[in-house]
Amino acid sequence: MLAESVTGLGVAEAGDLFEVADAIAGIIDAPVTIEDRTSRVLAYSTRQECGDEARVATIMGRHVPDEVNAHYRRHGVFHRIAQDKRPIYVPAVVEGTKPRLVVPVHAGGDVLGSIWAIVPGPVPAERAVAFATAADATALHLLRRRAEADRERLVLTDMVARVLHGKAGAADAARLLGLSAGPWRVIAVGVRCDDTDEAETQRLAVQERLSRFPGSRLRSPAAVIGSVVYGIVDAEPVAPASRRHSEWLYELGETAGRATQFVAVGGLAASVPELAASREQADDTLELLMSGLITDSQAVHDDVWAKVVLRRVALAASTALTADIGPLRHLVNHDRECRTSYVPTLEAWLEEMGDPKAAAARLHIHPNTLRHRMRRLRDVVELQLDSPDIRSALLLQLTALRYGAESGAPTKEDHQA
């Protein structure tokens, strides 16, 4: 009987996943959901009244609640889904939930999704085997569905890219995306993970979450372009002054499994043509986050624009090798060879406009110590610090050294190589 039920899954219509879910529910004798690799619900069976609060929230939102997913992630369920094809029993350890039996849906080495059954406890071996076999039959349906979704995703990605890069047809693409009235902001999310498959999974999950941004008038356009996830969202909820923006951005950029996510928000775009500038600002901000120049996981361009300017100056100055001009290089070499601290002393003195007390406070030393260092460093190199041009040039060089080193800007040795 169970074998016949499994065989019958293969003849279901390609798009009728709800019928497939009902058939699987009959096999395992429990209500089930069929979910993609981002925990989005693709179909669910009848008999959901036998479920629990988490299942109700999952079906109502068509996505597993984030707090429930976080629990499964902490207990390694998603890692096992990615690594194994056998059913996984998940005890009820979260208040308001019942045990689950999860079976991964694989095609070759690719994870297509999973099937989740709410069970009263461990199930007989025969039913567990039939449940696993049902996943093999379900894979064909998910492959067909994914092929169609991939085509739609390519179209969506092309339209979002046209708008964000100001390409030909941007106005028509914006209209098709539902961007009828601004203002908007562009969000860029970067994912850092050594596991390529895990990184791709997280990008798809971020895209899904961006597209259902709370407070949006419409589903927000979101797409993965290159290795970055971009979303176009209503400006007000993510404005720096908004009470909601910080909490939601941190939630979006939280560490997920083995991946770390960085969230950058571009400036205000009042019209479609201005979205390209907001995207560029989001990219600049994301580079600051991922390079470690901002010690956080999220940032808004409005708050970090000065660092963006300094980084651009540093990159340009490093490319032009300006740090190798004049006496500063000799001072850098002296610090390295003699273990002195003349370069940070000079930088603090310049940034505090010659105020010894403020510069000393920045370096956590006594003002007399700072004055002594300033006298000694002039014995090492000749500096006419009463010249505005020399002070400006030194600040530019020091900025290039600081930001260039932290962001991986090319050095003189790189150019020679």
Side-chain angles (χ1 to χ4, degrees):
M1 180 66 180
L2 289 177
E4 292 176 359
S5 299
V6 172
T7 303
L9 290 175
V11 298
E13 290 295 324
D16 195 0
L17 272 180
F18 286 88
E19 186 176 324
V20 173
D22 279 335
I24 297 174
I27 292 170
I28 195 65
D29 191 26
V32 305
T33 56
I34 301 176
E35 302 171 11
D36 68 11
R37 58 192 296 175
T38 69
S39 298
R40 184 167 58 95
V41 176
L42 303 177
Y44 53 89
S45 69
T46 56
R47 298 175 54 190
Q48 296 297 332
E49 67 275 5
C50 302
D52 53 27
E53 295 177 6
R55 174 58 61 82
V56 171
T58 295
I59 292 176
M60 292 293 291
R62 297 304 297 269
H63 196 280
V64 179
D66 294 333
E67 61 274 13
V68 177
N69 255 355
H71 162 74
Y72 293 143
R73 188 177 295 113
R74 285 194 301 270
H75 286 78
V77 176
F78 293 115
H79 178 68
R80 293 178 63 188
I81 287 174
Q83 300 295 325
D84 205 343
K85 293 184 179 181
R86 293 174 296 182
I88 304 163
Y89 180 71
V90 184
V93 293
V94 177
E95 185 177 356
T97 67
K98 296 179 179 179
R100 259 77 165 161
L101 188 66
V102 189
V103 61
V105 181
H106 288 236
D110 198 7
V111 181
L112 302 178
S114 52
I115 308 170
W116 294 67
I118 294 181
V119 294
V123 301
E126 182 187 7
R127 288 197 178 276
V129 171
F131 192 36
T133 306
D136 292 335
T138 305
L140 178 61
H141 297 278
L142 295 191
L143 280 172
R144 291 170 176 165
R145 187 183 185 96
R146 190 174 74 169
E148 179 61 32
D150 284 346
R151 286 192 290 270
E152 294 176 356
R153 190 178 295 115
L154 285 173
V155 174
L156 173 64
T157 300
D158 179 70
M159 289 194 293
V160 172
R162 287 180 182 276
V163 172
L164 293 184
H165 291 85
K167 295 181 179 178
D172 291 336
R175 178 176 51 80
L176 292 172
L177 291 171
L179 300 173
S180 56
W184 310 280
R185 287 179 186 265
V186 175
I187 291 182
V189 182
V191 176
R192 176 177 293 154
C193 184
D194 294 334
D195 187 321
T196 304
D197 291 337
E198 175 74 10
E200 180 185 358
T201 299
Q202 291 304 322
R203 290 188 190 102
L204 292 174
V206 169
Q207 179 182 353
E208 171 65 21
R209 294 182 68 185
L210 272 174
S211 69
R212 55 189 174 94
F213 179 75
S216 296
R217 294 188 295 272
L218 300 169
R219 285 180 63 84
S220 303
V224 181
I225 302 176
S227 60
V228 178
V229 189
Y230 291 97
I232 304 171
V233 302
D234 287 348
E236 191 278 329
V238 295
S242 170
R243 295 177 59 186
R244 300 172 55 199
H245 104 277
S246 183
E247 178 180 349
W248 185 81
L249 290 178
Y250 270 111
E251 181 183 347
L252 183 65
E254 69 182 358
T255 299
R258 292 168 291 169
T260 303
Q261 297 165 8
F262 300 89
V263 184
V265 183
L268 197 69
S271 63
V272 170
E274 292 179 0
L275 282 169
S278 182
R279 188 268 312 161
E280 185 176 359
Q281 292 162 353
D283 283 341
D284 282 336
T285 305
L286 184 61
E287 289 179 3
L288 287 174
L289 289 168
M290 298 193 73
S291 65
L293 291 170
I294 299 177
T295 55
D296 208 336
S297 63
Q298 61 91 12
V300 180
H301 182 267
D302 305 41
D303 298 330
V304 300
W305 66 266
K307 289 185 179 291
V308 170
V309 171
L310 291 173
R311 185 173 185 275
R312 287 194 179 188
V313 169
L315 291 173
S318 296
T319 302
L321 303 180
T322 56
D324 294 314
I325 301 173
L328 183 61
R329 176 58 58 188
H330 182 58
L331 200 62
V332 170
N333 292 336
H334 187 279
D335 272 0
R336 183 185 301 115
E337 295 169 3
C338 302
R339 298 186 178 182
T340 50
S341 302
Y342 292 149
V343 172
T345 301
L346 176 62
E347 185 173 18
W349 188 89
L350 289 168
E351 291 186 343
E352 295 298 340
M353 296 181 290
D355 184 337
K357 290 185 178 180
R362 174 180 292 205
L363 296 172
H364 305 290
I365 60 177
H366 193 276
N368 288 340
T369 303
L370 183 126
R371 294 186 182 95
H372 175 72
R373 286 185 187 176
M374 289 298 296
R375 287 193 299 268
R376 292 295 301 272
L377 73 84
R378 294 187 192 188
D379 294 334
V380 177
V381 294
E382 183 178 350
L383 293 174
Q384 298 176 358
L385 294 178
D386 56 343
S387 167
D389 288 346
I390 289 179
R391 292 197 303 271
S392 298
L394 285 170
L395 270 175
L396 178 60
Q397 290 179 309
L398 289 164
T399 299
L401 284 176
R402 186 199 325 151
Y403 278 74
E406 293 172 340
S407 61
T411 63
K412 182 176 182 180
E413 289 72 19
D414 294 325
H415 285 277
Q416 291 173 341

